[in-house]
Amino acid sequence: MKQVRSEDLLHMARTGIAEASPVRLLGRKYELRVLEDLLASTRNRVGGAIVVRGEPGIGKTALIDTAAHDAVGFTVLRTAGNEAEMELAYAGLQDLLRGFVRDLGELAPPQRAAIEVVLGRLSGDAPDQLLVGLGLLNLLSGSRPNEAVLCVVDDAQWLDAASAHAIAFAARHVSHDPVAFVLAERDRTSEFRGLPELAMLGLGDQDARELIAISVPDRIDDQVANRLIAETRGNPLALVQLPRGMTPAQLAGGFGLPMVATLADRIEGSYRQRLATLPSDSAKLLLLSASDPTGDSRLIWRAADRLAVAESAAEALEVDGLVEFGARIVFSHPLVRSAVYSAASPSERREVHRALADATDVALDPDRRAWHRAQATVHPDESVARELEDSAARAQARGGFAAAGAFLERSAALTSDPRQRAPRALRAAQAKRQAGAIDSATGLAKIAQRGPLSDRELAQLDALLGQIAFARHRGNEVAPLLLKAAARLEHVDVQLARYAYLDALIAAIFAGHLAGETGPAMVARAVRAARTVDESLRPADLLADGLALLLTDGYQSATPALKAALAAFRGQGVSSEERLRWSWLAGGTAGLIWDYETWDVLTARQERFAREVGALSGLPIALSIRVGVCLFSGDMVAARFLLEQVQVVTDASDGERFPNAAVLVAAFSGDGDETRPLIETVMSNSLARGEGLAMTMAWCATAVLCNGNAQYEEAFAAALAAVEDPSDIWYWGWSTVELIEAASRTGRAAEAKPHLERLIQSTDASGTPWALAVQARCRALLADGTEAEGLFRKAIELASATPVRLEVARSTLVYGEWLRRHRRTRDARVQLRVARELFMKFGMSGFARRAEGELLASGDRIRTAPAASTNLTPQENRIAELAARGSTNQDIAEQLFISRATVEYHLSKVYRKLGVKTRTQLANTLRLP
Ligand SMILES: Nc1ncnc2c1ncn2[C@@H]1O[C@H](COP(=O)(O)OP(=O)(O)OP(=O)(O)O)[C@@H](O)[C@H]1O
Ligand SMILES: [Mg+2]
């Protein structure tokens, strides 16, 4: 009972005076129309978002309040960011959804769980931010007939980061939903960048003059009014407030307005002047009110009591119109609050924070109490530090890594004993890293470094430094850090050490030929030397060992070990942690040893698992690795679709972009205009940071692009660069294949022979039909005379029995070319037609053009099959395909990061366009492979 009340109070305090009827708005016709248009289209179930931007006092709140007030037929949800609560994870979202009664049972279970944790109805692990965003979107869009929802978020620049994230995600993904977002913020914060914007400027002269006339009782000289308007550029708050600090003589004219600082400072300054005239009791009461964000008057009066402030102190404030006292205490403008707070001296602030802490119920609101206590404390104080530590643990449980980091940071600062301070700083740094606040994580890690730390903590610190470096980029300074961490961990925790070794190896593989001293081979030797007596090998250990062996001894020795590691990853004994952290690596490794099925199975499994448990931030790399699976099956649509998802996920989390897959897809599609700039960017970035793997990928992509476009000289040079350094294992196989094809077209068979030898070793060791098909084709390309034809045929036959359709197409193409050069024109045409058709079906226009060129050269006339056009938009196409393959609307919504309502909308259009009524008919019409 008590708690509900304080929540209500909090909400009212946040949303301020706005819920009463808004001010009479002067001007702003255009701005109102923009907002009305958004509402009108939202009523028609096409929602959207607008961010109202402008300087302090320009009239954002006044505008959005008016729009909300006039939003007939909408359920209006409101919240406002609050400077003092920026560290409280999900405070804003809790407030927004307060009283919004909806059946959460309609949400997909992971989304429901995420929302329930956020709302504090369920305790659980930190929910993934993306799931919260998606849950929010679906909750709001929850399709009640004839109901639309308007979310009004004022002062969005002060939202806590977690809420801002979720709201930005939902606002960005509103589509055919009856949901509108109207946000107001001062500056362009990164969260809401890119959403449609409504920039607010000052009032026009006429309206400005009228506003002055209404709000300043004394008559203002026309000239003064003009100067005021000119100087404030029509900022309404300034128009109303500046004259109040003037003497009648000044108002009557004949003075110069002091040109100082920014407008906000000027306004704050004028408030401060008024504060100076207040009785001391009143000033103290005002400072108390400014120091607690809840505005809960009972709390503030309890605190006032402790400071012996009399009730009469309120009178002077009310008379002045600076605050209103009721069940809540509301400032007339946010600038009043910051003026009050900034005008106070540090010791005055500490005094009121202490009173507020003492007046806060430790059982009901322990975090707020801890926070006030921390603000009240200058000198180290172990009991405060410990309380903050407890708050951090609670925040972490709610998924508030940012809050946990802030609490722990302050806790460390208030700890005098270095033996406590260093570990606290370490944990603060870990939380900050998880929250994506890499800079402050770095700063805290430096404090932790001063120590003393236990051996275990020292090792954890090293691992953290490595993770921070890896989060910044995948360059060559990461592996040494992780290697050091692994070596240290070996003495305290063997399993953690092994995991750190694997991470170090990954980092070294990413650095590749640009690694410097700590290169892949060196780390691989360290991994192998690190074996201990404890031989209960986990799947991740097997993988580390196998990859190390590959680097030290090559494919022949390593392939059996890698096969065993992958079998372990496919088996029952793999832990959730291993699956979440390294299934992508295991999947990619399967690709290295030509095991297509395992590549497919493991990446699909990691994707599913990550979605199920809501660990979506691990998705980008898993999806990126999975792109290769689609590429080699010739499914470019699916590959591009995966790329889009990667984009969505990285947009929504602070993850670094991982462009490798996108570049390869572009290269295989054969469009130089699209691919070349991507390659250039990757080249210069990877060189700068020492990320050899990306550079090799760029060479490999260049080779693919050029082979597709029949630019064999360039293809050869690029492929050669990609395979030259044995440290670069990741793209070695693909690049070798390109190298051999380019060599065969440029008379470099002899040069290519050693590369073919290595490829034969690797494919023999693998022994899969895919491996043997690739081997047969590559041998055929460098063979002379009669041997070649049999090998080409074998390559096609072997590949045809696998899902790796790209190999069928490529073998058919080179076989057709070989036939044409041997003047067997009719046979050549048969092969080239098949190849061309396959490449066209895949959407690989470069290789399709190459086949076409050969066909023309063989005297064939190209017949283009009429495209089975369905008139579906790309989005409709994707939804139709997923539906035809049996996904439910709910599944599709989750996959595409849109609401269920939007899926239903698109699907109904698909049905109409295709003239079908059921999913079965849809599947028949689309004739999916
Ligand atoms: N068009 C208008 N007509 C009349 N009064 C207005 C108008 N716009 C703003 N005001 C008044 O000017 C003052 C400042 O406006 P408002 O609080 O909306 O600014 P804001 O942009 O929200 O500022 P902040 O960034 O500080 O939140 C308020 O007292 C408001 O009532
Ligand atoms: Mg405002």
Side-chain angles (χ1 to χ4, degrees):
M1 181 71 199
K2 221 170 170 186
Q3 227 171 357
V4 173
R5 251 186 83 64
S6 84
E7 271 179 26
D8 282 348
L9 288 171
L10 185 60
H11 178 76
M12 286 187 283
R14 281 225 188 77
T15 49
I17 31 185
E19 277 177 346
S21 79
V23 289
R24 186 170 81 81
L25 205 66
L26 298 166
R28 304 301 191 204
K29 298 229 158 29
Y30 167 76
E31 288 84 351
L32 282 171
R33 205 173 52 241
V34 171
L35 295 181
E36 275 159 18
D37 286 349
L38 171 67
L39 296 185
S41 91
T42 304
R43 269 189 212 100
N44 292 324
R45 308 190 62 85
V46 182
I50 285 181
V51 183
V52 177
R53 277 208 183 90
E55 61 183 24
I58 199 70
K60 301 179 293 293
T61 301
L63 176 73
I64 64 177
D65 282 354
T66 307
H69 187 257
D70 298 346
V72 183
F74 277 82
T75 298
V76 181
L77 305 180
R78 325 182 45 118
T79 187
N82 188 316
E83 216 174 350
E85 287 197 330
M86 286 178 76
E87 304 290 358
L88 293 181
Y90 292 117
L93 199 59
Q94 285 166 5
D95 188 50
L96 184 75
L97 294 177
R98 187 196 58 103
F100 184 62
V101 193
R102 269 290 154 88
D103 184 4
L104 292 180
E106 307 218 330
L107 294 178
Q111 291 173 32
R112 185 178 64 216
I115 294 285
E116 281 183 323
V117 170
V118 163
L119 295 185
R121 295 189 202 169
L122 205 74
S123 60
D125 282 345
D128 189 274
Q129 298 192 317
L130 204 53
L131 273 184
V132 178
L134 204 50
L136 174 64
L137 175 61
N138 275 299
L139 188 63
L140 297 174
S141 139
S143 287
R144 283 192 189 170
N146 308 324
E147 186 200 51
V149 178
L150 168 62
C151 295
V152 180
V153 181
D154 201 357
D155 298 323
Q157 73 274 4
W158 290 326
L159 277 178
D160 63 275
S163 299
H165 226 75
I167 291 171
F169 181 90
R172 233 173 232 125
H173 291 85
V174 171
S175 172
H176 290 270
D177 305 287
V179 181
F181 285 88
V182 171
L183 299 103
E185 71 173 348
R186 287 184 179 171
D187 329 300
R188 188 169 291 130
T189 65
S190 56
E191 269 319 336
F192 300 106
R193 240 186 332 216
L195 285 169
E197 173 177 315
L198 176 61
M200 285 193 83
L201 302 172
L203 293 176
D205 282 6
Q206 207 48 48
D207 296 319
R209 224 175 294 278
E210 195 176 337
L211 186 59
I212 297 173
I214 299 170
S215 50
V216 183
D218 308 298
R219 214 197 92 70
I220 289 195
D221 184 272
D222 272 353
Q223 274 215 313
V224 176
N226 284 340
R227 295 176 67 159
L228 203 54
I229 293 167
E231 202 199 346
T232 59
R233 295 189 312 280
N235 180 306
L237 184 69
L239 289 171
V240 173
Q241 290 303 331
L242 290 184
R244 293 201 180 157
M246 295 179 188
T247 61
Q250 285 174 322
L251 286 175
F255 73 100
L257 288 167
M259 301 288 287
V260 285
T262 65
L263 199 54
D265 288 343
R266 288 275 309 278
I267 300 169
E268 260 192 55
S270 89
Y271 282 130
R272 241 176 263 132
Q273 274 179 18
R274 284 157 70 189
L275 298 181
T277 64
L278 288 173
S280 74
D281 257 16
S282 304
K284 199 162 277 180
L285 182 59
L286 199 58
L287 181 58
L288 271 171
S289 312
S291 306
D292 188 87
T294 60
D296 178 347
S297 66
R298 285 176 313 169
L299 169 67
I300 288 164
W301 280 118
R302 274 202 306 272
D305 209 30
R306 282 165 201 272
L307 297 177
V309 170
E311 259 181 66
S312 58
E315 274 164 36
L317 300 174
E318 282 194 308
V319 170
D320 215 17
L322 288 168
V323 281
E324 276 176 39
F325 287 87
R328 58 202 159 109
I329 298 179
V330 177
F331 283 88
S332 62
H333 193 273
L335 283 175
V336 179
R337 216 175 117 178
S338 58
V340 171
Y341 199 74
S342 65
S345 73
S347 68
E348 285 170 329
R349 281 188 220 153
R350 281 198 295 277
E351 181 190 17
V352 298
H353 278 298
R354 195 168 308 119
L356 284 163
D358 293 343
T360 304
D361 190 323
V362 66
L364 277 180
D365 210 346
D367 298 344
R368 193 176 301 282
R369 194 177 108 99
W371 190 248
H372 279 308
R373 275 193 82 191
Q375 302 302 322
T377 314
V378 243
H379 301 299
D381 180 328
E382 182 53 28
S383 86
V384 179
R386 195 163 306 147
E387 246 183 72
L388 285 166
E389 215 175 13
D390 294 343
S391 295
R394 277 189 297 273
Q396 201 133 7
R398 282 197 308 267
F401 289 114
F407 284 134
L408 282 166
E409 185 175 26
R410 187 86 186 120
S411 170
L414 292 178
T415 308
S416 63
D417 183 353
R419 281 167 309 175
Q420 299 269 17
R421 187 173 55 226
R424 277 176 183 150
L426 173 64
R427 260 171 295 134
Q430 284 170 327
K432 293 270 184 181
R433 183 195 69 86
Q434 275 166 302
I438 301 298
D439 288 339
S440 48
T442 310
L444 283 158
K446 285 208 180 97
I447 297 175
Q449 244 162 347
R450 282 183 223 141
L453 294 172
S454 70
D455 283 351
R456 190 189 177 84
E457 285 159 348
L458 276 172
Q460 285 175 328
L461 177 64
D462 284 341
L464 174 72
L465 292 174
Q467 287 161 341
I468 288 175
F470 202 67
R472 284 197 199 281
H473 54 71
R474 300 178 167 85
N476 54 11
E477 77 210 45
V478 184
L481 290 169
L482 287 167
L483 195 60
K484 196 171 122 208
R488 270 192 207 260
L489 278 167
E490 242 182 293
H491 304 292
V492 285
D493 187 327
V494 178
Q495 193 58 59
L496 279 186
R498 284 176 173 276
Y499 288 169
Y501 272 119
L502 180 53
D503 280 341
L505 193 58
I506 294 171
I509 291 173
F510 269 95
H513 67 278
L514 297 177
E517 243 171 69
T518 316
M522 193 264 226
V523 179
R525 281 194 296 276
V527 169
R528 294 191 58 196
R531 289 207 166 182
T532 58
V533 258
D534 170 13
E535 282 299 331
S536 59
L537 288 183
R538 304 216 35 88
D541 300 327
L542 292 171
L543 186 58
D545 288 344
L547 285 169
L549 199 59
L550 176 60
L551 280 155
T552 54
D553 293 22
Y555 274 96
Q556 253 168 343
S557 339
T559 302
L562 289 171
K563 281 182 183 172
L566 299 186
F569 262 92
R570 287 185 68 164
Q572 298 301 314
V574 61
S575 70
S576 316
E577 186 187 359
E578 286 172 309
R579 200 180 282 182
L580 276 176
R581 282 176 71 177
W582 299 296
S583 274
W584 63 269
L585 179 69
T589 304
L592 295 189
I593 59 165
W594 315 97
D595 179 352
Y596 185 85
E597 198 212 336
T598 303
W599 188 8
D600 185 9
V601 167
L602 286 177
T603 47
R605 205 185 272 173
Q606 183 175 11
E607 180 189 348
R608 220 172 23 246
F609 191 60
R611 286 183 194 275
E612 263 167 31
V613 303
L616 298 189
S617 31
L619 261 184
I621 196 153
L623 295 175
S624 299
I625 298 285
R626 199 167 163 62
V627 167
V629 175
C630 300
L631 265 182
F632 276 78
S633 72
D635 195 344
M636 290 289 269
V637 176
R640 288 202 187 262
F641 172 46
L642 283 171
L643 289 180
E644 266 172 47
Q645 294 185 58
V646 173
Q647 175 92 26
V648 171
V649 182
T650 30
D651 279 354
S653 48
D654 299 328
E656 197 224 3
R657 237 157 251 305
F658 186 63
N660 298 4
V663 179
L664 283 165
V665 167
F668 273 101
S669 76
D671 181 347
D673 291 343
E674 181 195 357
T675 318
R676 297 267 183 195
L678 291 175
I679 288 177
E680 252 162 59
T681 313
V682 169
M683 287 267 184
S684 57
N685 287 347
S686 53
L687 188 63
R689 23 155 107 162
E691 189 183 344
L693 180 137
M695 180 166 283
T696 328
M697 182 285 300
W699 281 323
C700 178
T702 308
V704 169
L705 178 73
C706 292
N707 271 338
N709 291 332
Q711 296 156 330
Y712 304 111
E713 289 290 345
E714 193 185 347
F716 182 82
L720 192 61
V723 302
E724 236 160 13
D725 192 316
S727 313
D728 293 322
I729 53 168
W730 204 253
Y731 292 100
W732 169 80
W734 301 5
S735 305
T736 301
V737 168
E738 301 305 331
L739 179 137
I740 292 170
E741 189 165 309
S744 78
R745 299 297 303 255
T746 52
R748 290 195 174 91
E751 259 176 88
K753 274 274 156 60
H755 298 283
L756 177 63
E757 286 310 316
R758 274 182 76 198
L759 187 76
I760 290 172
Q761 281 179 10
S762 138
T763 45
D764 272 346
S766 160
T768 64
W770 177 25
L772 299 177
V774 169
Q775 184 188 112
R777 178 172 85 239
C778 291
R779 293 173 95 130
L781 283 166
L782 299 186
D784 30 35
T786 48
E787 202 198 352
E789 180 158 21
L791 286 167
F792 278 127
R793 286 178 167 279
K794 184 176 167 197
I796 296 171
E797 195 182 317
L798 280 168
S800 300
T802 71
V804 199
R805 294 195 299 162
L806 178 60
E807 303 294 2
V808 180
R810 293 199 64 177
S811 294
T812 310
L813 172 62
V814 286
Y815 180 39
E817 289 172 340
W818 183 88
L819 287 168
R820 191 179 74 75
R821 275 198 307 283
H822 287 77
R823 305 200 192 293
R824 289 162 56 185
T825 312
R826 198 170 311 155
D827 294 342
R829 281 183 195 159
V830 175
Q831 300 300 328
L832 291 169
R833 276 186 212 131
V834 172
R836 174 173 173 273
E837 200 171 306
L838 280 173
F839 284 123
M840 293 221 309
K841 212 181 264 168
F842 298 166
M844 298 183 178
S845 52
F847 286 103
R849 272 196 308 275
R850 180 168 137 194
E852 211 166 289
E854 292 278 341
L855 269 175
L856 289 170
S858 76
D860 198 22
R861 284 200 320 268
I862 310 284
R863 273 166 301 169
T864 30
S869 154
T870 52
N871 260 341
L872 299 183
T873 65
Q875 177 86 327
E876 288 167 358
N877 237 322
R878 240 169 267 134
I879 290 174
E881 200 177 314
L882 287 169
R885 289 188 197 278
S887 302
T888 64
N889 289 359
Q890 178 72 45
D891 293 340
I892 301 174
E894 273 172 50
Q895 289 244 324
L896 301 182
F897 303 105
I898 51 182
S899 71
R900 219 163 61 189
T902 298
V903 175
E904 282 157 15
Y905 169 82
H906 284 302
L907 210 49
S908 71
K909 278 184 67 182
V910 169
Y911 279 19
R912 218 172 323 125
K913 281 186 182 177
L914 299 180
V916 299
K917 294 212 163 62
T918 65
R919 274 175 150 73
T920 323
Q921 288 174 351
L922 182 66
N924 290 337
T925 310
L926 292 179
R927 273 180 311 195
L928 298 172

